[in-house]
Amino acid sequence: MIQSFNLDGKVALVTGGTHGLGMAIATGLAKAGAKIVINDVFEDKLKNAVEEYKQNGIEVAAYSFDVTKEEQVKASVAIIEEEVGGIDILVNNAGIINRTPALDMDVSDFRQVIDIDLVGPFIMSKYVGRGMVKRGSGKIINMCSMMSELGRNSVSAYASAKGGLKMLTRNLATEWAKYNVQVNGIGPGYFATSQTAPIRVDGHPFNEFIINRTPAGKWGDPSDLAGTAVFLSSQASNFVNGQVIYVDGGILATIGKPHGEE
Ligand code: GCO
């Protein structure tokens, strides 16, 4: 049974794998045996990340391209498949958030979030999926969110993108399951990363809110996602299609509790 979780010999591409949840997932996949490829639009982020991975005993291949630019993705995927090998596992992790009330949000800012968080994963899946379909096997993991299911003030663009990403996951799963390509999602709850740092500082009302709203009573640690990512990247999930697994400390399981109640 444990062998079915083994990723030896597999090539895993983690977009935005230079920090945060992407780095934690890539580290978990590496520990399960995968060869890791990361991308970022910023060369300096890539350089720093390669060094950080190396300090943790992990050799990664790094490529700079923009997931929202179809020509860049097409060319980069071809180079990666030439230089590293066919991509067996794609983690669509790269993304941004813009916390602005809808009435105040520029349409251009809304479009930018949709472009990076939803159109980017589509473009990546289209060009990596081609090879997977041809080889008759592959795993795609889309990084969804609590906002794939729930709204909250100030994140209309992000929630729209992550809700769409859940449905893109289901649709690609529908189209590619017959080729033995499994497309699933991971929905992180609230994790201690740079992306949540502004709303996690001591004394910030949101910090208190999340601790109270999460049955586990804490922010997640990025390493908490690795096991689910290994499962969805491995043979152990070959009959799992179009699912989003929420790693959220119980947030989506509960209506919450009155402030102060244990
Ligand atoms: C926010 C947070 C969330 C989390 C994550 C939850 O502003 O609400 O940043 O978006 O990062 O997406 O699943």
Side-chain angles (χ1 to χ4, degrees):
M1 166 52 80
I2 199 71
Q3 189 55 26
S4 67
F5 289 80
N6 187 305
L7 302 181
D8 282 349
K10 300 293 185 185
V11 173
L13 168 57
V14 180
T15 65
T18 52
H19 63 285
L21 301 186
M23 179 173 268
I25 285 174
T27 301
L29 299 184
K31 287 179 178 173
K35 164 72 182 157
I36 301 302
V37 181
I38 60 172
N39 103 293
D40 203 295
V41 287
F42 302 111
E43 294 272 3
D44 59 333
K45 271 191 172 181
L46 279 171
K47 191 162 165 286
N48 295 338
V50 167
E51 204 36 54
E52 189 173 346
Y53 278 106
K54 194 176 283 183
Q55 284 165 15
N56 291 320
I58 300 169
E59 290 295 323
V60 301
Y63 293 82
S64 179
F65 61 93
D66 182 337
V67 298
T68 68
K69 302 286 185 292
E70 187 170 11
E71 286 313 307
Q72 286 188 31
V73 170
K74 186 178 179 182
S76 300
V77 167
I79 292 167
I80 292 166
E81 301 227 319
E82 179 65 32
E83 294 180 352
V84 182
I87 299 167
D88 303 292
I89 301 156
L90 169 64
V91 181
N92 283 312
N93 165 75
I96 63 168
I97 192 167
N98 180 319
R99 300 185 184 94
T100 304
L103 286 177
D104 305 330
M105 179 175 262
D106 292 342
V107 173
S108 59
D109 288 338
F110 187 96
R111 278 204 177 97
Q112 183 194 31
V113 175
I114 299 293
D115 207 22
I116 296 172
D117 294 9
L118 179 56
V119 180
F122 170 73
I123 296 171
M124 287 301 304
S125 300
K126 179 181 173 183
Y127 285 97
V128 174
R130 280 180 176 175
M132 292 177 170
V133 165
K134 202 181 295 176
R135 290 188 295 273
S137 79
K139 301 281 186 177
I140 296 178
I141 299 172
N142 291 320
M143 292 305 290
C144 295
S145 163
M146 293 289 94
M147 275 67 239
S148 298
E149 302 293 343
L150 303 170
R152 90 172 182 84
N153 287 347
S154 82
V155 292
S156 60
Y158 186 83
S160 302
K162 293 299 187 178
L165 188 56
K166 176 178 74 172
M167 289 315 299
L168 177 63
T169 299
R170 290 177 177 169
N171 223 78
L172 293 181
T174 302
E175 291 189 33
W176 294 347
K178 56 179 170 288
Y179 303 114
N180 187 34
V181 176
Q182 292 82 45
V183 185
N184 292 287
I186 293 177
Y190 281 85
F191 281 76
T193 65
S194 56
Q195 190 251 40
T196 58
I199 57 175
R200 193 160 32 90
V201 293
D202 278 344
H204 191 296
F206 201 82
N207 181 42
E208 188 58 32
F209 166 69
I210 286 300
I211 290 170
N212 193 49
R213 181 71 175 75
T214 306
K218 60 180 180 177
W219 290 77
D221 180 280
S223 62
D224 290 324
L225 287 172
T228 303
V230 168
F231 166 63
L232 290 177
S233 299
S234 71
Q235 299 305 303
S237 61
N238 279 1
F239 203 52
V240 180
N241 302 75
Q243 299 301 313
V244 177
I245 299 180
Y246 289 97
V247 184
D248 67 354
I251 290 178
L252 289 181
T254 177
I255 192 175
K257 58 192 177 194
H259 190 68
E261 182 184 279
E262 275 304 304

